[in-house]
Amino acid sequence: MFERPRSGERAVLVHVQFDAADSREDLNEFTELVRSAGADCVALVTGSRHAPDPRWFVGSGKAEEIRDQVRLHQAEVVIFDHALSPSQERNLERLLQCRVLDRTGLILDIFAQRARSHEGKLQVELAQLRHMSTRLVRGWTHLERQKGGIGLRGPGETQLETDRRLLAERMRQIHRRLEKVDRQRDQGRQARRKAEVPTVSLVGYTNAGKSTLFNRLTDAEVYSANQLFATLDPTLRRLPLPDRGEVVLADTVGFIRHLPHDLVAAFKATLQETLEADLLLHVIDAADERLPDNRAQVHAVLDEIGAMDIPRIEVFNKVDLLDREPGIDRDASGRVRRVWLSARTGAGLELLEQVLAERFADSFIEGEVVLAPAEGQLRARLHELGAVQDEHWDEGGQWQARLRLNRRDYARLRKTHAAMPALEPEVSEPWERQETGQSVR
């Protein structure tokens, strides 16, 4: 019951247009989803209706047309680009005599194939179990109530009830495991907050190029491909910024229109990285004709998980497919609103790093220090941190230097080295690139 379809299965696709705008799906995106799942599309049945039929979802005539296509091509599965009710799936399977999969089941199957980490597999399994718990009756309609022998007769327990009980127990086990993983992740987030390391989370519509951009910036080897949901498991890497220390960059799962609620619920722990981020980079496929709709869908998911209030910068990717050069768009106040780049070619990556450095400029301080010759250990530590911008020895043998270092490193030095003098914070605003104000000795 829980086995996923084999790769290369012959599939008949069903795409229906409805009058309601919120019920419409994109046909190209649907075919991409099917391709990502590994199915072989042998026929496409399209149609239009004012509203779904309560029994077949489509009309009786269209249902007969689908059955003819199944028989003609000997299809093994019929995939609907819509959410079906359990009764509609059951009725269609009886009529078509093959497996029927809806949009939610298709996306769950893709996620099951992409999950690599222990946490990702648990989250996908939980989402699958939640989805299947409403469809168990379909698999056990041929079984009656269990019967015992002489002296053992009684109401007993139906196979359906047994299966639901086992399913509920398995879901409780997964919940306990995910809670343990979530506590471990929370410890990591608390450690980063304590060390004052900013977190930047990549979000965006699936196949917008987030993983490619992540790999370019961090030299990571996250799997990326021109397919929907190429990567699923969240990945975190440290990203050094020019003259600004480093931030933690998080690559998260891509969003899609009508993302199944079971998935959103199951991936709450993973999406927590987005909720805890100091800044969101909304990666957008600048060459996609569906750009406005995709952007709106990402905003809808961010609003659903409570992340709309986090500061956000739009990163328009794939400018190599447009007649446009990389650049930065600012508002009237000089704040960055958009960055145009190409993650595939690397054009404009330095602009994004510059923007991030500006955004987190207030986490650094600058000043001048004078140290006695005996403070060699402190001087070595400052060099090790890359904080020394300029240095010289005066006539009295004292070491004079101009420093620029991260606030967390500065706080640690003040605790561990009594000779570390106080420094004034720099005066530059985080969103405006200015020359550093006068330093103090």
Side-chain angles (χ1 to χ4, degrees):
M1 180 174 60
F2 300 105
E3 292 181 357
R4 298 196 306 271
R6 301 181 304 276
S7 178
E9 276 191 314
R10 293 184 299 276
V12 173
L13 311 186
V14 180
H15 179 81
V16 181
Q17 288 288 2
F18 293 97
D19 295 337
D22 59 350
S23 298
R24 296 174 185 169
E25 302 290 359
D26 185 87
L27 180 57
N28 292 331
E29 181 178 271
F30 177 44
T31 55
E32 282 295 312
L33 281 170
V34 174
R35 184 179 66 87
S36 298
D40 181 16
C41 175
V42 295
L44 173 64
V45 178
T46 60
S48 60
R49 289 183 61 87
H50 295 292
D53 180 80
R55 184 180 184 185
W56 309 108
F57 187 82
V58 295
S60 57
K62 187 64 66 175
E64 294 291 339
E65 179 184 346
I66 297 172
R67 184 174 65 177
D68 293 341
Q69 292 295 327
V70 170
R71 292 174 177 176
L72 176 63
H73 298 282
Q74 296 183 340
E76 300 163 282
V77 61
V78 175
I79 306 177
F80 279 73
D81 189 20
H82 312 274
L84 301 177
S85 68
S87 62
Q88 287 169 340
E89 277 194 26
R90 183 169 63 251
N91 295 335
L92 286 166
E93 287 189 344
R94 287 174 177 171
L95 174 68
L96 304 177
Q97 292 299 301
C98 72
R99 204 154 24 84
V100 175
L101 201 63
D102 67 353
R103 181 182 176 88
T104 299
L106 176 62
I107 294 176
L108 287 172
D109 181 84
I110 297 173
F111 271 56
Q113 295 181 49
R114 301 287 189 267
R116 294 293 181 268
S117 69
H118 175 65
E119 179 185 12
K121 292 177 181 179
L122 287 176
Q123 289 168 331
V124 171
E125 184 180 358
L126 178 60
Q128 286 180 316
L129 294 177
R130 282 175 172 168
H131 180 65
M132 291 178 181
S133 63
T134 62
R135 288 159 165 77
L136 287 179
V137 65
R138 164 180 79 174
W140 304 107
T141 52
H142 65 289
L143 294 176
E144 298 179 353
R145 194 172 294 272
Q146 294 175 353
K147 298 179 180 179
I150 297 176
L152 298 176
R153 304 184 195 277
E157 184 179 38
T158 65
Q159 181 63 56
L160 177 60
E161 291 168 346
T162 302
D163 198 66
R164 282 178 174 166
R165 175 170 51 79
L166 296 175
L167 197 67
E169 177 59 29
R170 176 59 180 166
M171 291 173 65
R172 285 192 291 270
Q173 292 176 359
I174 295 177
H175 271 298
R176 289 193 292 267
R177 293 184 183 181
L178 285 175
E179 288 174 358
K180 181 179 179 180
V181 175
D182 187 40
R183 287 194 297 270
Q184 294 171 345
R185 282 190 173 275
D186 188 58
Q187 290 175 356
R189 286 190 291 265
Q190 290 179 1
R192 292 197 298 270
R193 285 194 295 267
K194 185 176 181 180
E196 298 182 5
V197 180
T199 301
V200 179
S201 181
L202 296 176
V203 299
Y205 207 78
T206 181
N207 206 28
K210 298 185 302 300
S211 295
T212 302
L213 179 61
F214 183 83
N215 290 338
R216 277 281 187 175
L217 290 172
T218 63
D219 294 327
E221 296 182 355
V222 174
Y223 176 73
S224 62
N226 185 25
Q227 57 184 205
L228 304 185
F229 301 117
T231 55
L232 171 62
D233 299 311
T235 308
L236 297 106
R237 294 288 188 276
R238 290 186 177 270
L239 172 64
L241 297 177
D243 300 326
R244 302 292 181 183
E246 59 186 18
V247 298
V248 172
L249 192 65
D251 183 22
T252 58
V253 62
F255 300 151
I256 196 171
R257 59 175 48 84
H258 298 163
L259 188 67
H261 290 285
D262 289 334
L263 274 179
V264 175
F267 279 77
K268 281 289 186 182
T270 301
L271 296 175
Q272 192 70 21
E273 295 294 346
T274 298
L275 288 172
E276 297 289 340
D278 299 284
L279 176 69
L280 301 182
L281 294 182
H282 180 183
V283 183
I284 300 173
D285 185 349
D288 195 333
E289 59 184 12
R290 301 165 298 179
L291 189 154
D293 292 337
N294 294 350
R295 177 197 283 168
Q297 290 297 325
V298 172
H299 289 173
V301 176
L302 291 177
D303 184 57
E304 183 175 355
I305 65 176
M308 279 298 288
D309 294 334
I310 300 176
R312 184 171 62 253
I313 297 176
E314 293 182 334
V315 178
F316 282 79
N317 188 25
K318 306 184 183 181
V319 297
D320 53 307
L321 303 179
L322 304 173
D323 186 18
R324 181 187 175 93
E325 294 295 323
I328 300 175
D329 292 346
R330 300 177 184 267
D331 61 14
S333 303
R335 296 191 174 189
V336 176
R337 294 306 181 194
R338 301 181 185 89
V339 180
W340 300 78
L341 53 79
S342 172
R344 185 178 67 86
T345 65
L349 289 182
E350 71 284 353
L351 299 178
L352 180 58
E353 292 180 349
Q354 171 190 331
V355 166
L356 293 177
E358 292 180 26
R359 175 63 181 85
F360 297 108
D362 59 346
S363 62
F364 283 78
I365 57 176
E366 183 171 308
E368 294 185 1
V369 297
V370 177
L371 298 180
E375 300 299 333
Q377 185 178 7
L378 177 56
R379 293 198 306 272
R381 181 58 180 156
L382 290 170
H383 277 289
E384 182 180 344
L385 293 173
V388 180
Q389 305 294 303
D390 187 26
E391 64 177 337
H392 67 274
W393 296 87
D394 62 16
E395 296 179 354
Q398 293 182 311
W399 183 70
Q400 299 184 7
R402 181 167 56 86
L403 304 180
R404 182 182 181 82
L405 71 165
N406 191 287
R407 286 183 179 276
R408 67 178 187 278
D409 294 330
Y410 168 68
R412 291 170 182 169
L413 289 175
R414 291 277 289 174
K415 289 182 179 180
T416 57
H417 296 80
M420 182 66 193
L423 301 174
E424 280 189 354
E426 64 176 345
V427 298
S428 61
E429 294 295 331
W431 290 91
E432 297 180 5
R433 201 170 179 82
Q434 300 176 347
E435 294 296 325
T436 305
Q438 182 179 2
S439 301
V440 297
R441 177 177 296 182

